[in-house]
Amino acid sequence: MRLMIFGGTTEGRVLAQRLAEAGAQVTVSVATDMGAEELADIPGLTVLTGRRDAVAMQALLQDFDLCIDATHPYAAEASANIRAACTAAGIPLRRAARPASTAADAAFTAENTAEAADFLTGQEGNILLTTGAKELPAFAALDKTRLFARVLPTHEGISACEALGIPHRNIIAMQGPFGTALNCAIIEQYRIAWLVTKDGGRAGGFAEKLEAARRTGTKVVLIRRPADAGEDPEQLLQELLAALADQNPERRTTQ
């Protein structure tokens, strides 16, 4: 079975590793060098790096039996491009959707980052942005001295902060997910009044963000998830492992 997996998420890495171990020919397409770095220790994978539109994705898919969209729950544009590419290429598509969190206490829930920024314009206090570097431009109208951006420690992430005019002392370049204690420490260090976050689920450390906000009395602005009719990643993995075992009986194990 020849599989193309889009996404450098935790779910994508687990799917890639387990399916490659089971005998599939797995290619993983990730957007960034950091995504490729996370896959470097997994044997048997072909890793492609770089952002692609639907046309480029279609060209990649010609030699595959199945495509898996394991991109981030908020990567709506990427998922739309993957769907279009699979339709055009005639390749079956499965969507591995990270389960949403069951508890999401928030002072304000926004449909998107622009709505969150509009709301925060009328609020006082420092703001911790944990929504990713690509979302930073939505907050351009806010006082930059109030903004503290937690971004990946990459040139792209830091450059996005600089482009917005966020002071360097307000840039927190770290790779998560983060535990509750570290979230609390950051909130207290920078006297954060508002935490802006997406529902990244368990893999994204969402529960730890909420708990840190509760402990420190920080108000949460939650960006609502896009509608996603995907499948549970673990159930999808088990289905594909069973299919691979049927194709390769000699690789069956008792594990």
Side-chain angles (χ1 to χ4, degrees), residues 5 14-15 28 53 110 124 138 156 245:
I5 300 176
V14 171
L15 284 164
V28 186
D53 60 16
E124 296 182 353
E156 180 182 25

Side-chain angles (χ1 to χ4, degrees), residues 69-153:
D69 176 4
T71 58
H72 193 274
Y74 287 81
E77 181 179 353
S79 288
N81 285 337
I82 293 166
R83 285 194 299 271
C86 287
T87 298
I91 303 298
L93 171 65
R94 306 291 290 270
R95 169 62 166 144
R98 179 182 299 177
S101 300
T102 56
D105 295 330
F108 182 74
T109 300
E111 292 298 323
N112 49 50
T113 50
E115 186 175 327
D118 287 342
F119 169 76
L120 288 167
T121 300
Q123 310 303 320
E124 296 182 353
N126 290 343
I127 302 164
L128 177 60
L129 302 175
T130 66
T131 51
K134 290 178 64 177
E135 306 288 356
L136 291 179
F139 301 92
L142 293 170
D143 178 1
K144 307 307 183 298
T145 63
R146 298 177 58 201
L147 300 182
F148 293 79
R150 192 163 74 187
V151 296
L152 289 172

Side-chain angles (χ1 to χ4, degrees), residues 25 49 125 174 254:
Q25 299 177 36
T49 306
M174 304 175 68
T254 58

Side-chain angles (χ1 to χ4, degrees), residues 121-229:
T121 300
Q123 310 303 320
E124 296 182 353
N126 290 343
I127 302 164
L128 177 60
L129 302 175
T130 66
T131 51
K134 290 178 64 177
E135 306 288 356
L136 291 179
F139 301 92
L142 293 170
D143 178 1
K144 307 307 183 298
T145 63
R146 298 177 58 201
L147 300 182
F148 293 79
R150 192 163 74 187
V151 296
L152 289 172
T154 63
H155 175 75
E156 180 182 25
I158 295 173
S159 293
C161 295
E162 292 175 335
L164 192 65
I166 294 176
H168 285 90
R169 63 179 177 274
N170 291 13
I171 300 173
I172 307 166
M174 304 175 68
Q175 182 176 359
F178 306 94
T180 300
L182 183 52
N183 280 314
C184 286
I186 290 172
I187 289 170
E188 292 168 352
Q189 172 71 24
Y190 297 108
R191 300 178 182 177
I192 299 300
W194 296 91
L195 168 65
V196 185
T197 182
K198 298 174 179 177
D199 176 5
R202 183 173 64 180
F206 182 61
E208 289 80 2
K209 289 183 188 178
L210 292 184
E211 177 60 18
R214 185 192 67 79
R215 292 185 187 182
T216 58
T218 304
K219 299 180 182 67
V220 174
V221 176
L222 175 63
I223 311 298
R224 194 186 304 277
R225 271 196 184 197
D228 195 334

